[in-house]
Amino acid sequence: MGYPEVTLLARTGGAALPTRTTTDGDVSFPSVKPREVVLRSGGEASFDLGYSRVPSGDTSCVTAAGVKISLPRVTGAVEVKANVYACGGGHVAVSPVVAGPDGVGSAAAPG
């Protein structure tokens, strides 16, 4: 299915904030390759999102009140309220979309 597009949103007005997205894993989830996701009626899909709250060097941190999420091959987007303090200039790591409710942790587990 691929990776979601993620944009951090401002507290006032919901304007887009600087967002730098990577797809090579994070401390909280492994890097996995995207694969086709087929859902039956009522099925679930998920992805992981990670960010650092620790400033490093001279990079800035972005304070967001929400996240706009667009899924691959799906028209439209959803906005989710979330307090996000992403350092590294608004760096967020995303996993590919996987079947099931638990993100790549469940997809990468043996079995």
Side-chain angles (χ1 to χ4, degrees):
M1 184 169 217
Y3 297 93
E5 290 183 30
V6 175
T7 305
L8 299 175
L9 302 174
R11 293 188 188 284
T12 54
L17 294 169
T19 308
R20 186 173 59 86
T21 305
T22 56
T23 59
D24 55 355
D26 186 66
V27 150
S28 60
F29 59 88
S31 175
V32 297
K33 293 184 184 221
R35 52 186 192 192
E36 189 68 24
V37 174
V38 178
L39 298 176
R40 295 181 183 181
S41 179
E44 296 179 306
S46 60
F47 68 93
D48 292 285
L49 183 140
Y51 57 92
S52 174
R53 297 178 55 91
V54 180
S56 175
D58 59 356
T59 61
S60 63
C61 298
V62 172
T63 301
V67 180
K68 181 178 179 181
I69 303 165
S70 300
L71 297 175
R73 294 183 284 179
V74 174
T75 302
V78 296
E79 294 184 8
V80 179
K81 289 184 181 183
N83 292 318
V84 177
Y85 185 71
C87 293
H91 172 249
V92 292
V94 295
S95 74
V97 176
V98 295
D102 298 322
V104 297
S106 64

Coordinates of all heavy atoms in Angstrom, one line a residue:
M1 N 0.8 -1.2 0.0 CA 0.0 0.0 0.0 C 0.9 1.2 0.0 O 0.6 2.2 -0.6 CB -0.9 0.0 1.2 CG -1.9 1.1 1.2 SD -3.2 0.9 2.5 CE -4.6 1.6 1.7
G2 N 2.0 1.3 0.8 CA 2.8 2.4 0.8 C 2.9 3.1 2.1 O 2.4 2.6 3.1
Y3 N 3.4 4.4 2.0 CA 3.5 5.2 3.2 C 2.5 6.3 3.3 O 2.1 6.9 2.2 CB 4.9 5.8 3.2 CG 6.0 4.9 3.3 CD1 6.6 4.4 2.2 CD2 6.5 4.4 4.5 CE1 7.7 3.5 2.2 CE2 7.6 3.5 4.6 CZ 8.2 3.1 3.5 OH 9.2 2.2 3.5
P4 N 2.0 6.6 4.5 CA 1.1 7.8 4.6 C 1.8 9.1 4.4 O 3.0 9.2 4.7 CB 0.5 7.7 6.0 CG 1.6 7.0 6.7 CD 2.3 6.0 5.8
E5 N 1.2 10.1 3.9 CA 1.7 11.5 4.0 C 1.2 12.1 5.3 O 0.1 12.0 5.6 CB 1.2 12.3 2.8 CG 1.7 11.8 1.5 CD 1.3 12.7 0.3 OE1 1.0 13.9 0.5 OE2 1.1 12.2 -0.8
V6 N 2.2 12.7 6.0 CA 1.9 13.3 7.3 C 2.3 14.7 7.3 O 3.4 15.1 6.9 CB 2.6 12.5 8.4 CG1 2.4 13.1 9.7 CG2 2.1 11.1 8.4
T7 N 1.4 15.6 7.8 CA 1.7 17.0 7.9 C 1.4 17.5 9.3 O 0.2 17.2 9.8 CB 0.9 17.9 6.9 OG1 1.2 17.4 5.6 CG2 1.3 19.3 7.0
L8 N 2.3 18.1 10.0 CA 2.0 18.7 11.4 C 1.2 19.9 11.2 O 1.4 20.7 10.3 CB 3.3 18.9 12.1 CG 4.2 17.7 12.3 CD1 5.5 18.2 13.0 CD2 3.5 16.7 13.2
L9 N 0.2 20.2 12.1 CA -0.7 21.3 12.0 C -0.6 22.2 13.2 O -0.4 21.8 14.3 CB -2.1 20.8 11.9 CG -2.5 19.9 10.7 CD1 -3.9 19.3 10.8 CD2 -2.2 20.6 9.4
A10 N -0.7 23.5 13.0 CA -0.5 24.5 14.0 C -1.7 24.5 15.0 O -2.8 24.1 14.6 CB -0.4 25.9 13.3
R11 N -1.5 25.1 16.1 CA -2.5 25.2 17.2 C -3.6 26.2 16.7 O -4.8 26.0 17.0 CB -1.9 25.7 18.5 CG -1.0 24.6 19.1 CD -0.6 25.0 20.5 NE 0.4 24.2 21.0 CZ 0.2 22.9 21.5 NH1 -1.0 22.5 21.5 NH2 1.2 22.2 21.9
T12 N -3.2 27.2 16.1 CA -4.2 28.2 15.6 C -4.4 28.1 14.1 O -3.5 28.2 13.4 CB -3.7 29.7 16.0 OG1 -2.4 29.9 15.5 CG2 -3.7 29.9 17.5
G13 N -5.6 27.9 13.8 CA -6.0 27.9 12.4 C -5.7 26.6 11.6 O -6.1 26.4 10.5
G14 N -5.0 25.7 12.2 CA -4.7 24.4 11.6 C -3.8 24.5 10.4 O -3.8 23.6 9.5
A15 N -3.0 25.6 10.3 CA -2.1 25.7 9.2 C -1.0 24.7 9.2 O -0.6 24.2 10.3 CB -1.5 27.1 9.2
A16 N -0.5 24.3 8.0 CA 0.6 23.3 7.9 C 1.9 23.9 8.5 O 2.2 25.1 8.3 CB 0.8 23.0 6.5
L17 N 2.6 23.1 9.3 CA 3.8 23.5 9.9 C 5.0 22.8 9.1 O 4.7 21.8 8.5 CB 3.9 23.0 11.4 CG 2.9 23.8 12.3 CD1 2.9 23.1 13.7 CD2 3.3 25.2 12.5
P18 N 6.2 23.2 9.3 CA 7.3 22.5 8.7 C 7.3 21.1 9.1 O 7.3 20.8 10.3 CB 8.6 23.3 9.2 CG 8.1 24.6 9.5 CD 6.6 24.4 10.0
T19 N 7.3 20.1 8.2 CA 7.3 18.7 8.5 C 8.3 18.0 7.6 O 8.2 18.2 6.4 CB 5.9 18.1 8.3 OG1 4.9 18.9 9.0 CG2 5.8 16.7 8.7
R20 N 9.2 17.3 8.2 CA 10.2 16.5 7.4 C 10.0 15.0 7.7 O 10.2 14.6 8.9 CB 11.6 17.0 7.9 CG 12.7 16.4 7.0 CD 14.1 17.0 7.4 NE 14.4 16.8 8.8 CZ 15.0 15.7 9.3 NH1 15.3 14.7 8.5 NH2 15.3 15.6 10.6
T21 N 9.5 14.3 6.7 CA 9.1 12.9 6.9 C 10.2 12.0 6.4 O 10.7 12.2 5.3 CB 7.8 12.6 6.2 OG1 6.8 13.6 6.7 CG2 7.3 11.2 6.5
T22 N 10.5 10.9 7.2 CA 11.4 9.9 6.7 C 10.7 8.5 6.9 O 9.7 8.4 7.6 CB 12.7 9.8 7.5 OG1 12.4 9.7 8.9 CG2 13.5 11.1 7.3
T23 N 11.2 7.5 6.1 CA 10.5 6.2 6.1 C 11.5 5.1 6.4 O 11.3 3.9 6.0 CB 9.9 6.0 4.7 OG1 10.9 6.1 3.7 CG2 8.8 7.0 4.4
D24 N 12.6 5.4 7.1 CA 13.6 4.3 7.4 C 13.5 3.8 8.8 O 14.6 3.4 9.4 CB 15.0 4.8 7.0 CG 15.3 6.1 7.7 OD1 14.5 6.7 8.4 OD2 16.5 6.6 7.6
G25 N 12.4 3.8 9.5 CA 12.2 3.3 10.8 C 12.5 4.4 11.9 O 12.8 5.5 11.5
D26 N 12.4 4.0 13.1 CA 12.5 4.9 14.2 C 13.0 4.0 15.4 O 12.9 2.8 15.4 CB 11.2 5.6 14.5 CG 11.2 6.6 15.5 OD1 11.9 7.7 15.3 OD2 10.6 6.5 16.6
V27 N 13.3 4.7 16.5 CA 13.6 4.0 17.7 C 12.5 3.1 18.2 O 12.7 2.0 18.7 CB 14.0 5.0 18.8 CG1 13.7 4.6 20.2 CG2 15.4 5.5 18.7
S28 N 11.3 3.5 17.9 CA 10.1 2.8 18.4 C 9.5 1.8 17.5 O 8.6 1.0 17.8 CB 9.0 3.7 18.9 OG 8.6 4.5 17.8
F29 N 10.0 1.7 16.2 CA 9.5 0.7 15.3 C 10.6 0.4 14.2 O 11.4 1.3 13.9 CB 8.2 1.1 14.6 CG 8.2 2.4 13.9 CD1 8.6 2.5 12.5 CD2 7.9 3.6 14.5 CE1 8.6 3.6 11.8 CE2 7.9 4.8 13.8 CZ 8.2 4.8 12.5
P30 N 10.6 -0.8 13.7 CA 11.6 -1.2 12.7 C 11.3 -0.6 11.3 O 10.2 -0.3 11.0 CB 11.6 -2.7 12.7 CG 10.2 -3.0 13.0 CD 9.7 -1.9 14.0
S31 N 12.4 -0.6 10.5 CA 12.2 -0.3 9.1 C 11.7 -1.5 8.4 O 12.4 -2.6 8.5 CB 13.5 0.2 8.5 OG 13.4 0.4 7.1
V32 N 10.6 -1.4 7.7 CA 10.1 -2.6 6.9 C 9.7 -2.0 5.5 O 9.4 -0.9 5.4 CB 8.9 -3.3 7.5 CG1 9.3 -3.9 8.9 CG2 7.7 -2.3 7.8
K33 N 9.7 -2.9 4.5 CA 9.4 -2.5 3.2 C 7.8 -2.5 3.1 O 7.2 -3.4 3.6 CB 10.0 -3.5 2.2 CG 11.5 -3.4 2.1 CD 12.0 -4.3 1.0 CE 13.5 -4.2 1.1 NZ 14.1 -4.1 -0.2
P34 N 7.3 -1.6 2.3 CA 5.8 -1.6 2.1 C 5.4 -2.8 1.3 O 6.2 -3.3 0.4 CB 5.6 -0.3 1.3 CG 6.9 0.3 0.9 CD 8.0 -0.5 1.6
R35 N 4.2 -3.3 1.5 CA 3.7 -4.3 0.7 C 2.2 -4.1 0.6 O 1.6 -3.3 1.3 CB 4.0 -5.7 1.3 CG 3.6 -5.9 2.7 CD 4.0 -7.2 3.3 NE 3.4 -7.3 4.6 CZ 3.7 -8.2 5.4 NH1 4.6 -9.1 5.2 NH2 3.1 -8.3 6.6
E36 N 1.6 -4.8 -0.4 CA 0.1 -4.6 -0.7 C -0.7 -5.0 0.6 O -0.4 -6.0 1.2 CB -0.3 -5.5 -1.8 CG -1.6 -5.3 -2.4 CD -1.8 -3.9 -3.0 OE1 -0.8 -3.4 -3.5 OE2 -2.9 -3.4 -3.1
V37 N -1.7 -4.1 0.9 CA -2.6 -4.4 2.0 C -4.0 -4.5 1.4 O -4.5 -3.6 0.7 CB -2.6 -3.2 3.0 CG1 -3.6 -3.4 4.1 CG2 -1.2 -3.1 3.6
V38 N -4.6 -5.6 1.6 CA -6.0 -5.8 1.2 C -6.9 -6.0 2.4 O -6.6 -6.9 3.3 CB -6.1 -7.1 0.3 CG1 -7.5 -7.3 -0.1 CG2 -5.2 -6.9 -0.9
L39 N -7.9 -5.2 2.6 CA -8.8 -5.3 3.7 C -10.1 -5.8 3.3 O -10.7 -5.3 2.3 CB -8.9 -3.9 4.4 CG -7.6 -3.3 4.9 CD1 -7.9 -1.9 5.5 CD2 -7.0 -4.2 6.0
R40 N -10.7 -6.7 4.1 CA -12.1 -7.1 3.9 C -13.0 -6.0 4.6 O -12.5 -5.2 5.4 CB -12.3 -8.4 4.6 CG -11.5 -9.5 3.9 CD -11.8 -10.8 4.5 NE -11.0 -11.8 3.8 CZ -10.9 -13.1 4.2 NH1 -11.7 -13.5 5.1 NH2 -10.2 -13.9 3.5
S41 N -14.2 -6.0 4.3 CA -15.2 -5.1 4.9 C -15.0 -5.2 6.5 O -15.0 -6.2 7.0 CB -16.6 -5.5 4.6 OG -17.5 -4.6 5.2
G42 N -14.8 -4.0 7.1 CA -14.6 -3.9 8.5 C -13.2 -4.2 9.0 O -12.9 -4.1 10.2
G43 N -12.3 -4.4 8.0 CA -10.9 -4.7 8.4 C -10.2 -3.4 8.8 O -10.7 -2.3 8.7
E44 N -9.0 -3.6 9.5 CA -8.3 -2.5 10.0 C -6.9 -2.4 9.4 O -6.3 -3.5 9.0 CB -8.1 -2.7 11.5 CG -9.3 -2.6 12.3 CD -9.1 -2.8 13.8 OE1 -8.4 -3.8 14.1 OE2 -9.5 -2.0 14.6
A45 N -6.4 -1.2 9.3 CA -5.0 -1.0 8.8 C -4.4 0.1 9.7 O -5.1 0.8 10.4 CB -5.0 -0.5 7.4
S46 N -3.1 0.1 9.8 CA -2.5 1.0 10.7 C -1.0 1.4 10.2 O -0.5 0.7 9.3 CB -2.4 0.5 12.2 OG -1.7 -0.7 12.2
F47 N -0.4 2.3 10.9 CA 1.0 2.7 10.6 C 1.5 3.2 11.9 O 0.8 3.6 12.8 CB 1.1 3.6 9.4 CG 0.6 5.0 9.7 CD1 1.4 6.0 10.2 CD2 -0.7 5.3 9.5 CE1 0.9 7.3 10.4 CE2 -1.2 6.6 9.7 CZ -0.4 7.6 10.2
D48 N 2.8 3.3 12.0 CA 3.5 3.9 13.1 C 4.0 5.3 12.8 O 4.4 5.5 11.6 CB 4.7 3.0 13.6 CG 4.2 1.7 14.1 OD1 3.7 1.7 15.3 OD2 4.4 0.7 13.5
L49 N 4.0 6.2 13.8 CA 4.6 7.5 13.6 C 5.5 7.7 14.8 O 5.1 7.5 16.0 CB 3.4 8.5 13.6 CG 3.8 10.0 13.3 CD1 2.8 10.6 12.4 CD2 3.9 10.7 14.6
G50 N 6.7 8.2 14.6 CA 7.6 8.5 15.7 C 8.2 9.8 15.5 O 8.4 10.3 14.4
Y51 N 8.6 10.4 16.6 CA 9.3 11.7 16.6 C 10.1 11.9 17.9 O 9.8 11.2 18.9 CB 8.3 12.9 16.4 CG 7.3 13.0 17.4 CD1 7.4 13.7 18.6 CD2 6.1 12.3 17.3 CE1 6.4 13.8 19.6 CE2 5.1 12.3 18.2 CZ 5.3 13.1 19.4 OH 4.3 13.2 20.3
S52 N 11.1 12.8 17.8 CA 11.9 13.0 19.0 C 11.5 14.4 19.6 O 11.3 15.4 19.0 CB 13.4 13.1 18.6 OG 14.2 13.5 19.8
R53 N 11.4 14.3 21.0 CA 11.1 15.6 21.7 C 12.4 16.2 22.3 O 12.3 17.1 23.1 CB 10.2 15.2 22.9 CG 8.8 14.7 22.5 CD 7.9 14.3 23.6 NE 7.8 15.4 24.6 CZ 6.8 16.3 24.6 NH1 5.9 16.3 23.6 NH2 6.7 17.3 25.5
V54 N 13.5 15.7 21.9 CA 14.8 16.1 22.4 C 15.5 17.0 21.4 O 15.9 16.5 20.3 CB 15.7 14.9 22.8 CG1 17.0 15.4 23.4 CG2 15.0 14.0 23.8
P55 N 15.7 18.3 21.6 CA 16.4 19.1 20.7 C 17.9 18.6 20.5 O 18.5 18.1 21.5 CB 16.4 20.5 21.4 CG 15.4 20.5 22.4 CD 15.3 19.0 22.8
S56 N 18.4 18.8 19.3 CA 19.8 18.4 19.0 C 20.5 19.4 18.2 O 19.9 19.8 17.1 CB 19.8 17.0 18.3 OG 21.0 16.6 18.0
G57 N 21.6 19.9 18.6 CA 22.4 20.8 17.8 C 21.6 22.1 17.7 O 20.9 22.6 18.6
D58 N 21.6 22.7 16.5 CA 20.9 23.9 16.3 C 19.6 23.8 15.5 O 19.1 24.7 14.8 CB 21.8 25.0 15.6 CG 22.3 24.5 14.2 OD1 22.0 23.3 13.9 OD2 23.0 25.2 13.6
T59 N 19.0 22.5 15.5 CA 17.8 22.3 14.8 C 16.6 22.8 15.6 O 16.7 22.8 16.9 CB 17.5 20.9 14.4 OG1 17.5 20.1 15.6 CG2 18.6 20.3 13.5
S60 N 15.6 23.2 15.0 CA 14.4 23.7 15.8 C 13.4 22.6 16.1 O 13.5 21.5 15.5 CB 13.7 24.8 14.9 OG 13.2 24.2 13.7
C61 N 12.5 22.9 17.0 CA 11.4 21.9 17.3 C 10.1 22.6 16.9 O 10.0 23.8 16.9 CB 11.4 21.6 18.8 SG 12.9 20.8 19.4
V62 N 9.2 21.8 16.5 CA 7.9 22.2 16.0 C 6.8 21.8 17.0 O 6.8 20.6 17.4 CB 7.6 21.7 14.6 CG1 6.2 22.0 14.2 CG2 8.6 22.2 13.6
T63 N 6.0 22.7 17.5 CA 4.9 22.3 18.4 C 3.6 22.3 17.6 O 3.2 23.3 17.0 CB 4.8 23.4 19.5 OG1 6.0 23.4 20.2 CG2 3.6 23.0 20.5
A64 N 3.0 21.2 17.5 CA 1.8 21.0 16.7 C 0.6 20.6 17.6 O 0.8 19.9 18.6 CB 2.0 19.9 15.6
A65 N -0.6 20.9 17.1 CA -1.8 20.5 17.8 C -2.6 19.4 17.1 O -3.6 19.0 17.5 CB -2.7 21.7 18.0
G66 N -2.0 19.1 15.9 CA -2.7 18.0 15.1 C -1.8 17.5 14.0 O -0.7 18.0 13.8
V67 N -2.3 16.5 13.4 CA -1.6 15.8 12.3 C -2.6 15.6 11.2 O -3.7 15.0 11.4 CB -1.0 14.5 12.8 CG1 -0.3 13.8 11.6 CG2 -0.1 14.7 14.0
K68 N -2.2 16.0 10.0 CA -3.1 15.7 8.8 C -2.5 14.4 8.1 O -1.3 14.4 7.9 CB -3.0 16.8 7.8 CG -3.9 16.6 6.6 CD -3.8 17.9 5.7 CE -4.6 17.7 4.5 NZ -4.5 19.0 3.6
I69 N -3.3 13.4 7.9 CA -2.9 12.2 7.3 C -3.6 11.9 6.0 O -4.8 11.9 6.0 CB -3.1 11.0 8.3 CG1 -2.5 11.3 9.7 CG2 -2.7 9.7 7.8 CD1 -3.0 10.5 10.8
S70 N -2.8 11.6 5.0 CA -3.3 11.1 3.7 C -2.8 9.7 3.4 O -1.5 9.5 3.5 CB -2.8 12.1 2.6 OG -3.3 13.4 2.8
L71 N -3.6 8.8 3.1 CA -3.2 7.4 2.8 C -2.9 7.2 1.4 O -3.6 7.9 0.5 CB -4.3 6.5 3.3 CG -4.5 6.5 4.8 CD1 -5.7 5.6 5.2 CD2 -3.3 6.1 5.6
P72 N -2.0 6.3 1.1 CA -1.7 6.1 -0.4 C -3.0 5.6 -1.1 O -3.7 4.8 -0.6 CB -0.7 4.9 -0.3 CG -0.2 4.9 1.1 CD -1.3 5.5 2.0
R73 N -3.2 6.1 -2.3 CA -4.3 5.7 -3.2 C -5.7 5.9 -2.6 O -6.6 5.2 -3.0 CB -4.1 4.3 -3.6 CG -2.9 4.1 -4.5 CD -2.7 2.7 -5.0 NE -2.2 1.9 -3.9 CZ -2.0 0.6 -4.0 NH1 -2.3 0.0 -5.1 NH2 -1.6 -0.1 -3.0
V74 N -5.8 6.8 -1.6 CA -7.1 7.1 -1.0 C -7.3 8.6 -1.2 O -6.4 9.4 -0.9 CB -7.1 6.8 0.5 CG1 -8.4 7.2 1.1 CG2 -6.9 5.3 0.7
T75 N -8.4 9.0 -1.7 CA -8.7 10.4 -1.9 C -9.1 11.1 -0.6 O -9.8 10.5 0.2 CB -9.9 10.6 -2.9 OG1 -9.5 10.0 -4.1 CG2 -10.2 12.1 -3.2
G76 N -8.5 12.3 -0.3 CA -8.8 13.0 0.9 C -7.9 12.7 2.0 O -6.9 12.0 1.8
A77 N -8.1 13.4 3.1 CA -7.2 13.3 4.3 C -8.0 13.4 5.5 O -9.2 13.9 5.5 CB -6.1 14.4 4.2
V78 N -7.5 13.0 6.6 CA -8.1 13.2 7.9 C -7.2 14.0 8.8 O -5.9 13.9 8.6 CB -8.4 11.8 8.6 CG1 -9.4 11.0 7.9 CG2 -7.2 11.0 8.9
E79 N -7.8 14.8 9.7 CA -7.0 15.5 10.6 C -7.3 15.0 12.0 O -8.4 14.8 12.4 CB -7.3 17.0 10.6 CG -6.9 17.6 9.2 CD -7.1 19.1 9.1 OE1 -7.5 19.8 10.2 OE2 -7.0 19.7 8.0
V80 N -6.2 14.7 12.7 CA -6.3 14.1 14.1 C -5.7 15.1 15.1 O -4.6 15.6 14.9 CB -5.5 12.8 14.1 CG1 -5.6 12.2 15.5 CG2 -6.0 11.8 13.1
K81 N -6.4 15.3 16.2 CA -5.9 16.2 17.2 C -4.8 15.4 18.0 O -5.1 14.3 18.4 CB -7.0 16.6 18.2 CG -8.0 17.6 17.6 CD -9.0 18.1 18.6 CE -9.9 19.1 18.0 NZ -10.9 19.6 18.9
A82 N -3.7 16.0 18.1 CA -2.6 15.4 18.8 C -1.6 16.4 19.2 O -1.2 17.3 18.4 CB -1.9 14.3 18.0
N83 N -1.1 16.4 20.4 CA 0.0 17.3 20.9 C 1.3 16.7 20.5 O 1.7 15.6 21.0 CB -0.1 17.5 22.4 CG -1.3 18.3 22.8 OD1 -1.7 19.2 22.1 ND2 -1.9 17.9 23.9
V84 N 2.0 17.3 19.5 CA 3.2 16.8 19.0 C 4.3 17.9 19.1 O 4.1 19.0 18.7 CB 3.1 16.4 17.5 CG1 4.4 15.9 16.9 CG2 2.0 15.3 17.3
Y85 N 5.4 17.5 19.7 CA 6.6 18.4 19.8 C 7.7 17.7 19.1 O 8.4 16.9 19.7 CB 6.9 18.7 21.3 CG 8.0 19.7 21.5 CD1 7.8 21.0 21.3 CD2 9.2 19.3 22.1 CE1 8.8 22.0 21.5 CE2 10.2 20.2 22.3 CZ 10.0 21.6 22.0 OH 11.0 22.5 22.2
A86 N 7.9 17.9 17.8 CA 8.8 17.2 17.0 C 10.1 18.1 16.8 O 10.0 19.1 16.1 CB 8.2 16.8 15.7
C87 N 11.2 17.6 17.3 CA 12.4 18.3 17.1 C 13.0 17.9 15.7 O 12.5 17.1 15.0 CB 13.4 18.0 18.2 SG 12.8 18.8 19.8
G88 N 14.2 18.4 15.4 CA 14.8 18.1 14.1 C 14.1 18.8 13.0 O 14.0 18.3 11.9
G89 N 13.6 20.0 13.3 CA 12.9 20.8 12.2 C 11.5 20.2 11.9 O 11.1 20.3 10.7
G90 N 10.9 19.5 12.8 CA 9.6 18.9 12.5 C 9.7 17.5 11.9 O 8.9 17.1 11.1
H91 N 10.8 16.8 12.3 CA 11.0 15.5 11.8 C 10.1 14.5 12.3 O 9.9 14.4 13.6 CB 12.5 15.0 12.0 CG 12.7 13.6 11.7 ND1 12.9 12.7 12.6 CD2 12.7 13.0 10.5 CE1 13.1 11.5 12.0 NE2 13.0 11.7 10.7
V92 N 9.4 13.7 11.5 CA 8.6 12.6 11.9 C 8.9 11.4 11.0 O 9.2 11.5 9.8 CB 7.0 12.9 11.8 CG1 6.6 13.9 12.8 CG2 6.6 13.3 10.4
A93 N 9.0 10.2 11.7 CA 9.3 9.0 10.9 C 7.9 8.2 10.8 O 7.2 8.2 11.8 CB 10.3 8.1 11.7
V94 N 7.7 7.7 9.6 CA 6.4 6.9 9.4 C 6.8 5.5 8.9 O 7.8 5.4 8.2 CB 5.4 7.6 8.5 CG1 4.9 8.9 9.1 CG2 6.0 7.8 7.1
S95 N 6.0 4.6 9.3 CA 6.1 3.2 8.7 C 5.2 3.1 7.6 O 4.3 3.9 7.4 CB 5.8 2.2 9.8 OG 4.4 2.1 10.0
P96 N 5.3 2.0 6.8 CA 4.3 1.8 5.8 C 3.0 1.4 6.4 O 3.0 0.9 7.6 CB 4.9 0.6 5.0 CG 6.0 0.0 5.8 CD 6.4 1.0 6.8
V97 N 1.9 1.5 5.7 CA 0.6 1.1 6.2 C 0.6 -0.5 6.1 O 1.1 -1.1 5.2 CB -0.5 1.6 5.3 CG1 -1.9 1.1 5.7 CG2 -0.5 3.2 5.3
V98 N 0.1 -1.1 7.2 CA 0.0 -2.5 7.3 C -1.4 -3.0 7.7 O -2.1 -2.2 8.3 CB 1.1 -3.1 8.3 CG1 2.5 -2.8 7.8 CG2 0.9 -2.6 9.7
A99 N -1.7 -4.2 7.5 CA -3.0 -4.7 7.9 C -3.0 -4.9 9.4 O -1.9 -5.3 10.0 CB -3.3 -6.0 7.2
G100 N -4.1 -4.7 10.1 CA -4.2 -4.9 11.5 C -4.0 -3.6 12.3 O -3.6 -2.6 11.7
P101 N -4.3 -3.7 13.6 CA -4.4 -2.4 14.4 C -3.1 -2.1 15.1 O -3.0 -1.0 15.7 CB -5.4 -2.8 15.5 CG -5.2 -4.3 15.7 CD -4.9 -4.8 14.3
D102 N -2.0 -2.9 14.9 CA -0.8 -2.6 15.7 C 0.4 -2.1 15.0 O 1.5 -2.2 15.6 CB -0.4 -4.0 16.4 CG -1.5 -4.4 17.4 OD1 -2.2 -3.6 18.0 OD2 -1.8 -5.7 17.4
G103 N 0.3 -1.6 13.8 CA 1.4 -1.0 13.1 C 2.4 -2.1 12.7 O 2.1 -3.3 12.7
V104 N 3.7 -1.7 12.4 CA 4.6 -2.6 11.9 C 5.2 -3.6 13.0 O 5.7 -4.6 12.6 CB 5.8 -1.9 11.2 CG1 5.4 -1.2 10.0 CG2 6.6 -1.0 12.2
G105 N 5.0 -3.3 14.2 CA 5.4 -4.2 15.3 C 4.8 -5.6 15.1 O 5.4 -6.6 15.2
S106 N 3.5 -5.6 14.8 CA 2.8 -6.9 14.6 C 3.1 -7.5 13.2 O 3.2 -8.7 13.1 CB 1.3 -6.7 14.7 OG 0.8 -5.9 13.6
A107 N 3.4 -6.6 12.2 CA 3.7 -7.1 10.9 C 5.1 -7.7 10.8 O 5.4 -8.6 10.1 CB 3.6 -6.0 9.8
A108 N 6.0 -7.2 11.6 CA 7.4 -7.6 11.6 C 7.7 -8.8 12.5 O 8.7 -9.4 12.5 CB 8.3 -6.4 12.0
A109 N 6.7 -9.1 13.4 CA 6.9 -10.2 14.4 C 6.9 -11.5 13.6 O 6.1 -11.7 12.7 CB 5.8 -10.2 15.4
P110 N 7.8 -12.5 14.1 CA 7.7 -13.8 13.4 C 6.4 -14.5 13.7 O 5.8 -14.3 14.7 CB 8.9 -14.5 14.0 CG 9.3 -13.8 15.3 CD 8.7 -12.4 15.1
G111 N 6.1 -15.4 12.8 CA 4.9 -16.2 13.1 C 3.9 -16.2 12.0 O 3.3 -16.4 11.3

